[in-house]
Amino acid sequence: FKADNVHNIINHSDSKLAFIGESNWENLNEDEIPNVLGVIQMEDYDLFISRNEKLTYAREHLNELFGKKYPNRFEKNMIGYYHNNQPDDLAIINYTSGSTGFSKGVMIPYRAVSNNMEFAEHALNLKAGMTIVSMLPMAHMYGMAFEFLYELTIGMHINFLTRIPSPKIIFQALNEIKPSVIVAVPLIIEKIIKKNVLPKLEKPGTKLLLKVPIVNETILAKVREKTISSFGGNFYEVIVGGAAFNQEVENLLHQLKFPYTVGYGATECAPIICYEDWKKFVPGSCGKAAYGMEVRIDSKDPANIAGEILVKGPNVMLGYYKNEEATAETIDADGWYHTGDLGVMDNEGNVFIKGRSKNMLLGPSGQNIYPEEIEDQLNSFPYVAESLVVDRHGKLVALIHPDYDTAFKEGKSEQDVATQMELNRAELNKNLPAYCQITSVQIYSEEFEKTPKKSIKRYLYQ
């Protein structure tokens, strides 16, 4: 988050104490958070600032005060001193990532946290002593729930990355730690597959052999073995969630019989909504309604006509903090949470996401256009790192951040890349209906600004 968003979250949440890392504190302004009594440094718990004499005294006399309160050390029977929380009591105010607007404070009750832990107990084959590499930010409920809280409750070893998770660093960590399960957002998996697996399969000789029966199975089996090994080789499955999965990468993983599954969730459900074990998972879907949850599609024909995905169950939030209007728009009188996502559901209960209703565009004759589906195709073309499809004066425009690293390594110039983007546009349009045609391309030299879970902040580019 940028400094103004951090200031806003601290103030909006009525926080009295802020725990902040030194590198982040350098970018913040204490005058912008006037109601905070103290800011505590995360590295050694020193006070950056204190506006309260009791706080200053407590920090300076911490051991003395603790010793007086617990003369015989802190023992397990003393846990009973704490407030006995009820299922509907507020546990966490978690601020949304802000991919479709500015952050809102999601009020998550204890029942939602508890049910997510029960879901994990039913769904994940994890036991005490196993290991996991935490790659997602703790500010995001997906990482908080399934890379920290659940593992903590059963006694697993949690390994945190200390640097930005580039494919190289993730590879190194996975091979050193050999985690029992891998929880990741699509971007991480896609980068690893595109940089380390796809190039090997794109070699002319390999492509030719893949067309030969029996031989192709042998090649794919070896690629599968190497791919599993590159992820540590000790995991039950890779759970992908948090954003849409690139279709080309998913098709490859399915072809390799790689143990992956795609889940679906939202901060408002702390976070899980849908999941399926990799052995039963249907490619292209995001699984079925998770433990304790109900999911339905608001459509007259849910199997064929996309409608909004509605959710009900113990995971659903209490509402948005200090925002009754947004709460009323999101949770209806019958308790259904309106996700804002569009999808269909097959007869087996598998949910297939089409896109966000806020992102859906209307074609010239009122046709529904899902930009995410077009972007998913575009991202598979040469030298496309990431893309956005937007409506500009009634015409569809593709905003593209090219993969300059790969292009330059292959001796291409910026002009060559620009020419390739036009070729990509022409090739893409061959596969699109007339009302979905991309009329032009705009190249962005910098990566698109993203949320903590690596979703592009679309609203900044409309």
Side-chain angles (χ1 to χ4, degrees):
F1 283 148
K2 303 287 186 185
D4 58 347
N5 210 343
V6 176
H7 294 147
N8 175 66
I9 288 171
I10 292 172
N11 293 329
H12 182 266
S13 63
D14 300 314
S15 292
K16 296 302 177 191
L17 289 177
F19 291 82
I20 301 176
E22 188 171 10
S23 60
N24 287 329
W25 179 240
E26 291 173 359
N27 301 317
L28 302 180
N29 183 350
E30 63 185 86
D31 294 333
E32 295 292 328
I33 48 174
N35 298 321
V36 169
L37 297 180
V39 177
I40 298 168
Q41 181 177 338
M42 291 186 73
E43 284 79 2
D44 58 12
Y45 302 107
D46 278 348
L47 289 169
F48 279 128
I49 60 170
S50 174
R51 298 177 175 135
N52 182 280
E53 289 182 8
K54 284 185 177 181
L55 175 63
T56 303
Y57 184 86
R59 181 64 191 91
E60 291 174 352
H61 299 80
L62 191 59
N63 289 336
E64 176 191 343
L65 293 170
F66 192 88
K68 286 179 179 177
K69 189 167 185 179
Y70 305 109
N72 298 313
R73 300 185 179 182
F74 186 83
E75 299 172 352
K76 64 181 181 180
N77 62 300
M78 296 174 180
I79 291 172
Y81 295 172
Y82 296 118
H83 172 64
N84 185 17
N85 299 298
Q86 299 303 306
D88 279 315
D89 285 352
L90 176 62
I92 301 168
I93 302 176
N94 190 279
Y95 281 79
T96 60
S97 301
S99 54
T100 58
F102 293 106
S103 301
K104 294 193 289 286
V106 177
M107 296 191 291
I108 296 171
Y110 283 95
R111 59 169 160 77
V113 179
S114 175
N115 196 72
N116 269 276
M117 298 303 100
E118 288 185 50
F119 152 76
E121 186 179 7
H122 282 80
L124 307 181
N125 295 308
L126 299 175
K127 296 181 177 65
M130 289 182 171
T131 61
I132 190 168
V133 176
S134 179
M135 294 181 274
L136 304 175
M138 291 293 98
H140 190 256
M141 277 308 302
Y142 185 35
M144 171 70 82
F146 303 125
E147 287 187 338
F148 177 61
L149 285 180
Y150 180 65
E151 286 75 9
L152 185 68
T153 66
I154 64 171
M156 285 179 63
H157 297 285
I158 306 166
N159 300 271
F160 292 95
L161 296 176
T162 56
R163 289 178 286 172
I164 294 171
S166 67
K168 183 179 178 182
I169 290 169
I170 291 170
F171 254 141
Q172 184 183 342
L174 295 179
N175 280 282
E176 285 181 13
I177 305 300
K178 302 189 184 309
S180 309
V181 69
I182 296 169
V183 178
V185 292
L187 190 68
I188 291 173
I189 304 300
E190 288 165 12
K191 280 187 175 181
I192 291 174
I193 296 297
K194 284 184 176 181
K195 286 187 179 294
N196 296 280
V197 181
L198 277 175
K200 295 172 185 174
L201 294 175
E202 291 295 323
K203 291 179 179 177
T206 306
K207 288 177 80 172
L208 187 64
L209 290 172
L210 283 171
K211 295 178 181 179
V212 181
I214 302 177
V215 176
N216 64 348
E217 291 180 11
T218 304
I219 292 172
L220 290 174
K222 286 184 178 179
V223 173
R224 178 184 189 270
E225 187 180 332
K226 285 185 178 180
T227 305
I228 288 175
S229 176
S230 67
F231 280 84
N234 190 43
F235 58 94
Y236 174 71
E237 66 181 3
V238 174
I239 305 170
V240 183
F245 204 10
N246 178 272
Q247 207 62 50
E248 181 189 24
V249 173
E250 183 172 2
N251 289 340
L252 174 61
L253 292 179
H254 181 59
Q255 190 181 8
L256 293 175
K257 297 178 182 175
F258 184 82
Y260 82 98
T261 186
V262 179
Y264 169 55
T267 304
E268 289 83 350
C269 290
I272 201 68
I273 294 173
C274 292
Y275 168 85
E276 182 59 278
D277 185 276
W278 78 272
K279 293 175 181 174
K280 301 176 184 176
F281 174 71
V282 176
S285 77
C286 59
K288 302 172 183 174
Y291 174 80
M293 299 297 286
E294 294 179 64
V295 178
R296 69 181 178 89
I297 307 295
D298 189 14
S299 166
K300 60 184 179 182
D301 184 6
N304 299 298
I305 300 175
E308 187 175 14
I309 301 171
L310 307 185
V311 183
K312 196 175 188 181
N315 291 8
V316 175
M317 66 174 178
L318 298 171
Y320 295 110
Y321 188 58
K322 296 193 292 192
N323 197 336
E324 292 181 6
E325 184 179 351
T327 301
E329 290 174 357
T330 307
I331 303 177
D332 65 28
D334 296 320
W336 288 95
Y337 162 57
H338 292 241
T339 64
D341 293 324
L342 297 169
V344 294
M345 182 189 292
D346 67 16
N347 294 330
E348 302 298 318
N350 295 295
V351 176
F352 298 80
I353 297 173
K354 292 293 185 181
R356 286 198 65 82
S357 59
K358 289 181 180 179
N359 299 338
M360 190 183 75
L361 306 173
L362 285 177
S365 300
Q367 305 97 329
N368 291 343
I369 300 171
Y370 304 108
E372 294 96 335
E373 292 187 347
I374 302 174
E375 292 156 10
D376 187 53
Q377 292 186 52
L378 186 54
N379 290 344
S380 298
F381 280 87
Y383 308 133
V384 177
E386 53 189 16
S387 65
L388 281 177
V389 172
V390 299
D391 185 323
R392 295 279 165 85
H393 310 296
K395 296 184 183 296
L396 294 184
V397 177
L399 315 182
I400 298 175
H401 169 57
D403 182 357
Y404 284 118
D405 287 345
T406 301
F408 293 160
K409 280 179 186 176
E410 295 179 5
K412 305 294 183 183
S413 66
E414 284 194 32
Q415 184 55 52
D416 291 334
V417 172
T419 301
Q420 183 63 55
M421 294 305 134
E422 279 301 319
L423 293 174
N424 291 346
R425 182 181 73 85
E427 193 63 30
L428 175 67
N429 281 341
K430 290 179 183 178
N431 302 319
L432 296 174
Y435 64 87
C436 287
Q437 299 280 301
I438 303 298
T439 59
S440 63
V441 168
Q442 290 183 12
I443 293 178
Y444 280 68
S445 58
E446 301 291 328
E447 284 190 24
F448 297 119
E449 190 170 330
K450 298 182 182 70
T451 70
K453 68 172 184 178
K454 301 301 180 185
S455 299
I456 297 170
K457 292 188 176 182
R458 307 183 73 96
Y459 65 91
L460 296 176
Y461 302 94
Q462 300 300 332

